[in-house]
Amino acid sequence: MSNRTADCIELFSSIQGEGMLVGLRQVFLRFHGCNLSCDYCDTVSPAPPAVCQLEGTPGRRDFLPAANPVALNRIVGILEGWERGWPGLHHSLSLTGGEPLLNHETLQEWLPVLRRQLPIYLETNGVLHSALESVIQHIDHVSMDIKLPSTSNCGDLWDRHREFLRVARDKKLFVKTVIGSCTEEWEISRTCETIAAIDRTIPLILQPVTDREGGVSIPPKLVLELQELACRYLAEVRVIPQTHRFMGQL
Ligand code: SF4
């Protein structure tokens, strides 16, 4: 088994709250650290925590701390136990963060082992295309963000998103983009053109900014107009807010 380690925040079982697999039960492995700094981010802290919280029983929040960085055998031991005790419960293992691909060298060794337990679902900000290329053979699903300047304040990432789409296109792939009351039509057009240049059947999720209580502040009329605009370019455009927020952060 790999000797490589990674700084992680937590490992737990919950319901996927966003995107095309919303509602399915997954195991979430949350990595520390991100290469971006989105205005709406509430997950990234500058320094890794001293410990990673590992759930003992799926969904019971009976966490036990493990010193960071965490070794692969700690993760695999839990997954094996859960697959034995609750066969069929989990659809897949969600690699989330932060940005999991910052750990791509570790993932090259971890993923073949983890994938023996569950299919691999990658949640990514969609810019580290070289890192993705190094692990893409071990990944089943890709949930990729396209960051709009109006909501993320991350600047111009269009070329990097395009390259990322090229690498991810042969996987079960969808794109998610956060929209708010300040989102402009040109941003949705640019997003759709970027996706359609690769494949117009890649689904796009418009995700209204959702506050901690589950409130959505973007006017409904604007959401409908942005969806109508996107449907001129793409075959499948869905509006899905962050459902785990109004279910109490499951
Ligand atoms: S990409 Fe995700 S984790 Fe990184 S800063 Fe943006 S919202 Fe936070």
Side-chain angles (χ1 to χ4, degrees):
M1 199 171 282
S2 169
N3 290 324
R4 282 191 170 272
T5 55
D7 287 320
C8 297
I9 311 288
E10 55 192 351
L11 176 85
F12 62 104
S13 163
S14 192
I15 295 168
Q16 175 57 252
E18 304 178 357
M20 293 293 284
L21 299 192
V22 68
L24 287 174
R25 189 76 171 259
Q26 290 181 313
V27 180
F28 292 82
L29 176 57
R30 185 179 305 287
F31 290 86
H32 169 265
C34 189
N35 54 311
L36 298 182
S37 179
C38 305
D39 271 359
Y40 48 75
C41 183
D42 60 1
T43 58
V44 172
S45 59
V51 295
C52 169
Q53 301 292 344
L54 302 175
E55 192 172 48
T57 316
R60 299 300 182 271
R61 304 301 180 253
D62 51 351
F63 290 104
L64 283 174
N68 263 325
V70 176
L72 176 60
N73 62 357
R74 293 298 304 269
I75 311 283
V76 171
I78 292 172
L79 293 182
E80 282 176 345
W82 288 1
E83 281 305 288
R84 266 197 312 273
W86 293 264
L89 173 62
H90 296 111
H91 171 272
S92 45
L93 170 64
S94 173
L95 309 177
T96 186
E99 173 50 59
L101 288 174
L102 287 177
N103 297 279
H104 64 98
E105 289 176 341
T106 298
L107 291 176
Q108 284 171 31
E109 296 186 11
W110 281 23
L111 291 183
V113 181
L114 294 171
R115 204 183 189 192
R116 280 182 224 137
Q117 302 298 322
L118 287 168
I120 304 297
Y121 176 94
L122 173 68
E123 300 197 47
T124 169
N125 58 34
V127 297
L128 299 176
H129 44 87
S130 299
L132 178 68
E133 206 152 17
S134 72
V135 296
I136 191 72
Q137 62 178 312
H138 308 302
I139 289 174
D140 300 284
H141 302 260
V142 179
S143 164
M144 169 196 165
D145 288 352
I146 285 188
K147 301 290 186 187
L148 303 185
S150 62
T151 50
S152 71
N153 205 16
C154 283
D156 183 342
L157 299 172
W158 300 107
D159 289 347
R160 297 173 73 186
H161 284 318
R162 190 187 59 242
E163 287 310 308
F164 198 96
L165 276 165
R166 271 191 219 291
V167 179
R169 63 183 300 172
D170 293 330
K171 298 294 168 175
K172 291 171 188 156
L173 165 68
F174 67 90
V175 175
K176 182 162 59 64
T177 197
V178 174
I179 56 171
S181 47
C182 52
T183 297
E184 298 180 18
E185 288 193 357
W186 74 267
E187 295 179 288
I188 298 301
S189 296
R190 184 84 185 261
T191 296
C192 295
E193 284 166 356
T194 303
I195 298 169
I198 304 298
D199 181 351
R200 70 177 298 275
T201 68
I202 296 170
L204 171 65
I205 311 289
L206 300 177
Q207 181 173 287
V209 176
T210 318
D211 65 30
R212 286 195 160 276
E213 287 69 47
V216 171
S217 57
I218 179 172
K221 178 170 173 287
L222 178 57
V223 175
L224 293 173
E225 287 170 356
L226 294 178
Q227 187 183 35
E228 286 165 24
L229 174 61
C231 286
R232 287 186 214 149
Y233 298 84
L234 300 174
E236 186 172 348
V237 182
R238 303 183 189 214
V239 175
I240 306 177
Q242 289 182 301
T243 62
H244 52 290
R245 296 254 166 120
F246 55 77
M247 287 195 288
Q249 306 278 331
L250 286 169

